[in-house]
Amino acid sequence: MTDTRAAARPPDPVLGSPANYHRAVPLSYDQFRYAFANAVSEEEARELYERFAVPASGEPLFQAAVANINPWSEVTVDTLSPGRGPLLIISGEKATPCLGPSRTPRTRSRSATSTR
C-alpha cells in the first residue's frame, strides 16, 4: 500500500494554498531534491536545481488533484473516442489496480493504447 502523504508531498507547496491556482510557484531546493533529484549526489542535485528548477503554474496540479471528483476535468481521457490521440500508461515495477479494470474500455477503442 502506498503512503498518500509521501505521494502528496511534492505538489504540496502549490496545493497548500488555493491562491496558487493562477500563480507560478517555485519549489525550494529540498522540495526539488525530494521530487526529482533523490537518486543523485548532493552536488549533482544542486547543479540540476540551479539549471532546471523554474516556477510552474499551479493550475495543472489543481486539475489533477480534483480529477477523481470532477467528471468534467481537463485531465479526463475519453477512452472510447476513436478521435483521441495515442494513450500511454506507465506503471511502476508492480502492476497497479487501475491497469486491470480500466483496460477493458480501451480495447473497444480503435485508438492506439500501450501499457508499460
Side-chain angles (χ1 to χ4, degrees):
M1 178 170 256
T2 60
D3 183 3
T4 55
R5 291 169 299 175
R9 186 173 170 189
D12 188 49
V14 178
L15 298 176
S17 170
N20 291 335
Y21 186 84
H22 291 293
R23 290 184 185 161
V25 182
L27 292 177
S28 70
Y29 169 74
D30 291 333
Q31 294 161 340
F32 178 85
R33 176 138 171 94
Y34 179 84
F36 301 107
N38 55 14
V40 297
S41 68
E42 182 79 23
E43 181 181 316
E44 187 176 357
R46 287 252 178 230
E47 290 174 18
L48 292 170
Y49 178 74
E50 290 170 8
R51 184 170 181 188
F52 296 112
V54 294
S57 172
E59 190 170 346
L61 290 174
F62 277 95
Q63 291 171 350
V66 299
N68 288 336
I69 57 173
N70 179 4
W72 302 280
S73 172
E74 291 83 352
V75 297
T76 302
V77 176
D78 183 3
T79 57
L80 298 178
S81 172
R84 72 164 169 80
L87 178 63
L88 173 62
I89 299 175
I90 300 173
S91 74
E93 60 187 62
K94 296 180 181 176
T96 59
C98 71
L99 292 179
S102 68
R103 187 175 182 133
T104 306
R106 290 193 312 270
T107 57
R108 291 180 276 179
S109 173
R110 293 192 174 152
S111 298
T113 301
S114 180
T115 306
R116 302 262 189 253

